[in-house]
Amino acid sequence: MDNKKSVLDLVKQYVNETAPINATEKEKKKMIDAQVILLLRV
Amino acid sequence: MKKQEKEKKYMVSQKALKKTLEERKTRFITTSNLQEPDRVPILSQINAYAIGFCNKTAWDVFEDPDLERECYRKANEAFYFDGLSIFGLNHPFKSYFDVGSETYLVSENGVTIQHKESSHMDADEYDEFIADPIPFIANKTAARKIPAFDKDYPENYEALKKLFNSIKDFKQNGAENRKYVLEEMGIPIISSRSAPHPLDNFFDFIRGFNGTLIDIRRHPDKVEKAIEVLTPYYEKSIPSSKEDAFPWLFSTCHIPTFLSKSQFERLYWPYMRRCLMAANDAQTKYMALLEGTWEQHFDLFEDIPKGAFIACIENDDIIKAKKRFGDRMTLAGGMPMSMLKYTSKQECIDYVKRIFDACAPGGGFIFTTSIPPLTTEDLNVDTYRAVNEFAHEYGKY
């Protein structure tokens, strides 16, 4: 993944763009974890 | 017909549908409380079979939710059922294929969707996984199995965004399907949500069939630790406060049939028991598909609270299980899929009669197939129709 964002970075970017505006960092972390777990089944 | 008359007719049919829905729900609730309902409830496990039943392919329904709904409705209404285990595809498979994933495949018959054995973690990577599973799953497991993520940025991000958005749409479609089944078909779906076991997911999606089973034998401590660190991400599926008594919490148990009694007791039973007890505390129930043979693990079921567990039996002897656990748990099953394909209508009916005579008394019994039918070749339609019609009549208490 040289010169590329890691998959975790991509998930973080997605959560940052789609999370409710007032979501706390802790809530965002939970959302990131949940999205990563979703990737398991893909 | 005048508008007013049409509306009146619609209201009458809606009222009748609601009544039928309540009767069917009551059948499941009563039997799972180990009491005799008016009839033995009959459960559908129809999944991708519905697609073949309507002479369509998986590819036809992947991008047409209306067609998917039509297929599942037609197939489920072709036989007598009181409840459904699922209605619609259980994954947004097309979205998975679009990012290059090979986790699933559509069989040559164009209907059956299969899970493909694969491993996305090496035997020497346990320490890294255990140190922090989330970066590992994202940057190793997902990166290895999803080729679209290996593209340059922002192409890879666009692929990820499209994938997540399609999963969101898929969940929304699932919710709409659920509403449709209740309101338009008058039939309940027996589970509200799924509680997958972390070890099953590790087995299915991370280390694979061979890898996990070898590791359990060579270094069980590492596997145990990996499951321990994975568990917190699955706990949100476990009820934490009072829930509706019905529908139930549901789990499909994949790995236990391959485990010895001691392996099961150490690596699987603690979390499974936790789900079961949490469902019981929340005043609902835990239903599990016991894939394969489980008799080797049955001793552990002795201390399950009365009425807390609904076990779907695949290969175990349901009559034997009823004799042992009939006073404390509900058993679902009774119709081996192979009989619906290879034996005569009368032989099947005689078999069902024997099963009902042994399993229906006292309640705690749901009639269903041993496994879900996956293709039209799995069963003879006339036989299955006759079996369920007979079961509906003979199952009257």
Side-chain angles (χ1 to χ4, degrees), chain A residues 1-11 13-15 17-18 29 32-42, chain B residues 96 101 103-104 134 137-139 145-146 149-153 156-157 160-161 163-165 196 201 205-206 233-234:
Chain A
M1 300 283 289
D2 288 344
N3 303 320
K4 292 187 187 109
K5 287 194 178 195
S6 73
V7 175
L8 188 56
D9 288 336
L10 300 176
V11 175
Q13 184 180 341
Y14 177 81
V15 168
E17 285 177 12
T18 56
K29 167 80 172 73
I32 291 164
D33 293 348
Q35 294 299 121
V36 170
I37 294 294
L38 272 185
L39 289 178
L40 263 189
R41 297 177 196 198
V42 177
Chain B
Y96 297 178
S101 166
T103 302
Y104 297 93
I134 292 296
I137 291 169
N139 297 334
K145 70 173 164 177
I146 303 174
F149 292 171
D150 198 35
K151 291 178 179 168
D152 289 331
Y153 183 83
N156 52 1
Y157 180 60
L160 177 130
K161 207 158 72 170
L163 174 68
F164 281 154
N165 289 340
N201 271 201
F205 304 117
I206 301 176
Y233 304 104
Y234 287 77

Side-chain angles (χ1 to χ4, degrees), chain B residues 110-238:
Chain B
V111 171
T112 313
I113 301 158
Q114 295 185 58
H115 178 250
K116 193 176 168 188
E117 153 70 357
S118 57
S119 175
H120 306 284
M121 172 179 163
D122 295 332
D124 60 3
E125 290 181 316
Y126 271 89
D127 290 342
E128 194 183 342
F129 182 91
I130 290 163
D132 197 346
I134 292 296
F136 188 95
I137 291 169
N139 297 334
K140 296 280 172 76
T141 311
R144 286 169 185 167
K145 70 173 164 177
I146 303 174
F149 292 171
D150 198 35
K151 291 178 179 168
D152 289 331
Y153 183 83
E155 220 183 324
N156 52 1
Y157 180 60
E158 290 307 317
L160 177 130
K161 207 158 72 170
K162 195 175 162 204
L163 174 68
F164 281 154
N165 289 340
S166 67
I167 293 174
K168 212 194 287 176
D169 291 345
F170 175 79
K171 283 184 180 170
Q172 178 61 34
N173 186 51
E176 283 165 17
N177 276 345
R178 180 173 286 273
K179 194 168 177 281
Y180 174 83
V181 170
L182 293 173
E183 292 176 3
E184 304 295 327
M185 294 170 64
I187 191 160
I189 297 179
I190 47 100
S191 69
S192 54
R193 63 189 147 124
S194 149
H197 195 296
L199 178 57
D200 277 324
N201 271 201
F202 188 78
F203 172 70
D204 291 335
F205 304 117
I206 301 176
R207 189 63 186 115
F209 185 99
N210 287 325
T212 308
L213 294 178
I214 291 168
D215 299 342
I216 283 175
R217 282 151 181 86
R218 290 191 181 159
H219 38 87
D221 294 351
K222 297 257 188 201
V223 179
E224 188 175 36
K225 194 71 196 155
I227 301 314
E228 197 182 305
V229 298
L230 199 54
T231 295
Y233 304 104
Y234 287 77
E235 285 169 329
K236 69 172 181 175
S237 305
I238 304 179

Side-chain angles (χ1 to χ4, degrees), chain B residues 276-289:
Chain B
L276 202 152
M277 298 305 281
N280 189 51
D281 291 344
Q283 294 172 35
T284 182
K285 295 180 193 297
Y286 175 75
M287 181 177 201
L289 227 61

Side-chain angles (χ1 to χ4, degrees), chain B residues 19-89:
Chain B
K19 188 172 172 274
T20 305
L21 174 68
E22 286 311 312
E23 280 171 4
R24 286 167 165 166
K25 273 164 73 173
T26 304
R27 269 173 210 145
F28 285 102
I29 293 169
T30 308
T31 207
S32 69
N33 285 333
L34 309 177
Q35 292 161 0
E36 292 183 353
D38 61 339
R39 293 170 187 270
V40 169
I42 302 174
L43 176 66
S44 162
Q45 292 195 63
I46 285 176
N47 196 343
Y49 171 86
I51 300 167
F53 184 83
C54 292
N55 293 314
K56 302 292 177 193
T57 70
W59 302 102
D60 294 329
V61 302
F62 279 156
E63 286 182 287
D64 189 344
D66 290 338
L67 179 64
E68 178 192 350
R69 190 178 283 185
E70 189 189 318
C71 289
Y72 278 80
R73 179 169 189 159
K74 271 190 185 163
N76 277 301
E77 288 184 341
F79 310 95
Y80 181 84
F81 291 120
D82 290 298
L84 314 182
S85 60
I86 195 167
F87 186 86
L89 298 166

Side-chain angles (χ1 to χ4, degrees), chain B residues 85-101:
Chain B
S85 60
I86 195 167
F87 186 86
L89 298 166
N90 49 349
H91 286 276
F93 297 106
K94 176 68 168 45
S95 311
Y96 297 178
F97 298 146
D98 286 346
V99 290
S101 166

